[in-house]
Amino acid sequence: PSFPVTKSGSSIQTAAMHPTSLLFTLASLFLFHQRVHAECEPMACGNFTIKYPFWLGAPSRPAPEPSCGHPAFELWCSGSNTSASMRGSAIQVLSIDYGASSFVASHSRFSGSEDGVCRADFNMSSSLALSSFKLSPSNMALCLLFNCNGTEPRGPAYVNATRSCGIPIYAYLGGRYDWVTPPAIPTGSCTYTYLPVLASEAAISTAANYSRLLKDGFILDWAGTGSGDCHACVASGGECRYSSSTAEFACLCRSAPAGGMLHGPTCA
């Protein structure tokens, strides 16, 4: 091919890219897209598969662009790929139900612990205050009372966990969990906290059982959190991605005419 040229002294410089350099650039772009594609492939972690809208990240690895998903859905897999956690947080992901757009999570303070009731003196809501997920209305509220100073409640519904914990703690199930409205608290001078758990009204009221409930976690929903309509994208021949530059869902289309390009919500 012919290229326009310019003279500089006795040397001649081409104004267009050399064919070899052009091929190298195109090859580099191809390998870059292949690497991003590989990073976004479904990956096994523990007893479930991480796939869109979730995606696998790592502490020292920057997110690709386009990203494999919304930043809130980034998971880190640790322990020789046996456990997953939400990026940079103490919230662990125990299982994912993609059909129901929900997952079971637990706080790391209760992981591997048989005395979770003794470790529950904090507000779980503060760990989720800026989260893109919603606590499922199916969760129950496990209530814990501290520092009652002789005003502790009485009755079969309240479990005295003092012997297990070494400090006066009373636990009970307080009905459905509501982030905004606390469950009914018995009269007295107790301080309290309440945490979401997977339970039923018929749960066995023992300190050991309540510790197991904390360890088993609670349900979070993600419907309407910016994950986009992935089914429509896939049905049109695309792959689900997230554009960090525009902060919105995007469909990666590999077939002509938009091969390798982001193409709105679908490839249509």
Side-chain angles (χ1 to χ4, degrees):
S2 59
F3 300 98
V5 297
T6 58
K7 288 187 177 182
S8 177
S10 59
S11 63
I12 297 179
Q13 299 174 333
T14 61
M17 182 180 292
H18 191 279
T20 303
S21 300
L22 178 62
L23 288 173
F24 177 79
T25 302
L26 292 175
S28 298
L29 288 173
F30 173 78
L31 291 175
F32 169 77
H33 283 291
Q34 290 298 102
R35 179 179 62 80
V36 171
H37 174 67
E39 288 181 350
C40 299
E41 285 290 290
M43 298 287 290
C45 182
N47 61 351
F48 60 88
T49 299
I50 298 175
K51 63 180 182 179
Y52 194 90
F54 293 95
W55 56 284
L56 183 64
S60 58
R61 186 173 68 208
E65 176 59 34
S67 175
C68 303
H70 189 284
F73 289 84
E74 180 181 352
L75 299 182
W76 293 353
C77 194
S78 58
S80 300
N81 289 343
T82 58
S83 63
S85 62
M86 299 175 72
R87 177 182 182 269
S89 79
I91 302 298
Q92 296 182 322
V93 177
L94 306 183
S95 64
I96 302 176
D97 187 339
Y98 290 98
S101 297
S102 65
F103 63 101
V104 177
S106 179
H107 198 280
S108 60
R109 291 188 70 171
F110 308 131
S111 177
S113 172
E114 302 301 328
D115 60 348
V117 169
C118 311
R119 299 168 176 260
D121 54 343
F122 70 103
N123 186 356
M124 177 70 78
S125 297
S126 63
S127 301
L128 302 168
L130 301 178
S131 172
S132 299
F133 308 104
K134 299 177 182 178
L135 283 157
S136 169
S138 64
N139 293 310
M140 299 288 288
L142 178 58
C143 307
L144 299 156
L145 307 176
F146 310 88
N147 306 317
C148 291
N149 298 319
T151 64
E152 58 271 359
R154 307 290 182 182
Y158 304 99
V159 175
N160 186 346
T162 303
R163 180 178 299 178
S164 302
C165 302
I167 57 175
I169 296 179
Y170 293 83
Y172 66 99
L173 283 175
R176 296 295 174 185
Y177 185 91
D178 188 320
W179 193 334
V180 178
T181 306
I185 305 298
T187 58
S189 61
C190 307
T191 57
Y192 72 93
T193 187
Y194 64 105
L195 300 96
V197 293
L198 290 172
S200 67
E201 296 285 1
I204 301 173
S205 299
T206 66
N209 185 67
Y210 285 161
S211 291
R212 181 184 59 78
L213 291 180
L214 290 169
K215 184 178 178 181
D216 290 346
F218 52 91
I219 297 178
L220 286 169
D221 298 325
W222 73 71
T225 56
S227 57
D229 189 352
C230 189
H231 293 293
C233 171
V234 172
S236 69
E239 299 172 11
C240 304
R241 295 291 188 271
Y242 178 85
S243 173
S244 300
S245 59
T246 61
E248 60 184 4
F249 171 82
C251 194
L252 179 63
C253 307
R254 296 190 176 278
S255 58
M261 302 293 291
L262 295 179
H263 197 259
T266 68
C267 293

